[in-house]
């Protein structure tokens, strides 16, 4: 039997619509326009595409959008000065510094410099720590989007076995922490994990975030499992054309899983939607108003 294919595009549209409604209410009732600043240093073409999409979506949701482009040769001091200026700007509630940064800039030092209240990426250690102990925190957008899709699909996640493949600070670790917060039994697996296929087969929820094209095969998936594929890998076909694929071999896994996210059109669209949602959350917390409830 073929799995239910989770439509991330449609879900993201719902989240973006909800965010736009919240923004309308915040403007009308509190004179508050949430503002997001995105800092992009260097010429990475993929980063330029992401940033352009973020800018468009932010404006479409009725928010203020500021884009700061810096040269590939920018110094650490210059990046830090931009962050300081944005920290002090009352019209900006969310700051996102697009990664990777040019090699001469220390990413950790830059993330540390962002006001944790404006850290809509949820990468600052204050937010990582607060989330881990169950306090209000800004939560990284990709894992947040994955949790939203899982809860929509499965309802209560309590007691389910969740396996996260990958241990990055951006996805794997926060994903595991959020799943633990939902009362899953969580395993983080990685390149040194013994018998990874068997570990994956134990998962009711399998989250793939390793960045390796179609690494997870159909027979690694437990029948009926929910599979969330965070990978976005560009592969070259025999024809010379390129195609986006995930970390999961979709054509195999779709025959075994209960539900699965496609690539593209699964997790990807949810990330930007969650960034917008995080910006509204940050604006409300900074302004001391509660987030508008919609419908
Ligand atoms: N580069 C790739 N993904 C991300 C992300 O989620 N946030 C930031 N800041 N940079 C990224």
């Amino acid at each position: 039997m073929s799995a239910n294919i989770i439509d991330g595009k449609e879900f993201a549209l719902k989240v973006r619509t909800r965010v736009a409604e919240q923004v309308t209410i915040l403007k009308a009732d509190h004179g508050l326009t949430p503002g997001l600043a995105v800092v992009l240093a260097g010429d990475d073409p993929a980063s330029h595409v992401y940033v352009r999409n973020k800018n468009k979506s932010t404006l479409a949701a009725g928010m203020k959008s500021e884009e700061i482009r810096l040269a590939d040769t920018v110094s650490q001091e210059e990046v830090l000065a931009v962050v300081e200026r944005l920290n002090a700007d009352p019209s900006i509630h969310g700051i996102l510094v697009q990664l990777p940064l040019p090699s001469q800039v220390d990413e950790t030092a830059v993330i540390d410099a962002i006001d944790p209240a404006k850290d809509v990426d949820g990468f600052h250690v204050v937010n990582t720590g607060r989330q881990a102990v169950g306090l209000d925190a800004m939560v990284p957008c990709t894992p947040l989007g994955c949790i939203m899709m899982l809860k929509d699909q499965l309802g209560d996640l309590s007691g389910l076995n969740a396996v996260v493949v990958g241990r990055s600070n951006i996805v794997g670790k926060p994903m595991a922490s959020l799943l633990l917060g939902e009362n899953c039994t969580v395993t983080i697996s990685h390149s040194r994990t013994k018998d990874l296929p068997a570990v994956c087969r134990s998962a009711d929820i399998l989250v793939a975030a390793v960045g390796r094209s179609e690494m997870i095969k159909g027979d690694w998936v437990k029948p009926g499992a929910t599979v969330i594929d965070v990978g976005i890998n560009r592969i070259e076909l025999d024809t010379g054309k390129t195609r986006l694929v995930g970390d999961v071999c979709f054509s195999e896994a779709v025959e075994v899983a209960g539900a699965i996210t496609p690539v593209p059109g699964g997790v990807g669209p949810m990330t930007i939607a969650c960034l917008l949602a995080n910006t509204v959350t940050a604006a409300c917390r900074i302004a001391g108003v509660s987030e508008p409830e919609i419908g």
Side-chain angles (χ1 to χ4, degrees):
M1 215 183 65
S2 202
N4 175 27
I5 295 173
I6 301 170
D7 188 341
K9 246 172 138 169
E10 187 185 302
F11 199 151
L13 181 61
K14 277 192 213 159
V15 175
R16 292 210 315 267
T17 304
R18 183 190 152 89
V19 167
E21 287 167 0
Q22 287 179 313
V23 171
T24 303
I25 296 171
L26 287 173
K27 283 179 178 170
D29 292 359
H30 302 281
L32 176 61
T33 302
L36 172 66
V38 175
V39 181
L40 173 60
D43 316 312
D44 180 44
S47 292
H48 276 262
V49 175
Y50 289 141
V51 169
R52 208 173 315 125
N53 286 339
K54 282 170 190 166
N55 185 35
K56 254 185 11 205
S57 308
T58 308
L59 293 172
M63 297 196 256
K64 171 180 164 150
S65 175
E66 186 172 340
E67 212 180 296
I68 296 110
R69 289 177 183 255
L70 303 169
D72 198 39
T73 51
V74 71
S75 70
Q76 168 131 353
E77 290 66 33
E78 287 170 294
V79 179
L80 290 175
V82 168
V83 169
E84 287 308 325
R85 173 177 74 71
L86 295 170
N87 281 344
D89 183 340
S91 73
I92 294 296
H93 307 93
I95 302 170
L96 182 145
V97 179
Q98 185 69 27
L99 304 179
L101 285 166
S103 57
Q104 72 278 12
V105 182
D106 176 353
E107 284 182 358
T108 308
V110 172
I111 292 166
D112 276 354
I114 298 172
D115 177 349
K118 297 189 177 186
D119 169 35
V120 281
D121 255 332
F123 293 166
H124 195 290
V125 285
V126 165
N127 283 314
T128 315
R130 288 180 66 88
Q131 194 277 322
V133 297
L135 294 171
D136 273 351
M138 299 311 302
V139 175
C141 304
T142 299
L144 181 59
C146 294
I147 288 286
M148 287 165 75
M149 290 194 285
L150 283 168
K151 285 168 100 169
D152 184 63
Q153 190 65 35
L154 298 169
D156 185 10
L157 308 183
S158 286
L160 296 176
N161 287 336
V163 173
V164 180
V165 189
R167 55 175 158 179
S168 71
N169 290 337
I170 293 183
V171 183
K173 285 179 199 158
M175 188 71 229
S177 185
L178 286 176
L179 287 162
L180 188 59
E182 297 295 329
N183 303 310
C184 292
T185 303
V186 183
T187 303
I188 306 182
S189 58
H190 45 77
S191 54
R192 307 278 176 92
T193 297
K194 288 191 183 134
D195 200 354
L196 183 59
V199 173
C200 291
R201 266 193 297 274
S202 73
D204 303 309
I205 294 170
L206 181 59
V207 181
V210 268
R212 292 187 55 186
S213 313
E214 302 181 316
M215 185 184 93
I216 293 173
K217 307 299 177 198
D219 63 358
W220 299 22
V221 175
K222 178 176 170 174
T226 302
V227 178
I228 304 288
D229 191 351
V230 181
I232 302 179
N233 313 291
R234 192 169 284 282
I235 58 165
E236 193 162 333
L237 305 173
D238 294 340
T239 58
K241 289 192 176 161
T242 64
R243 188 164 75 93
L244 289 182
V245 297
D247 292 346
V248 177
C249 182
F250 184 86
S251 60
E252 293 178 10
V254 74
E255 298 299 330
V256 187
I260 186 167
T261 59
V263 177
V267 174
M270 285 298 286
T271 299
I272 290 186
C274 288
L275 174 67
L276 303 180
N278 272 354
T279 305
V280 167
T281 302
C284 290
R285 287 182 188 162
I286 290 168
V289 303
S290 52
E291 268 179 73
E293 292 281 341
I294 310 287

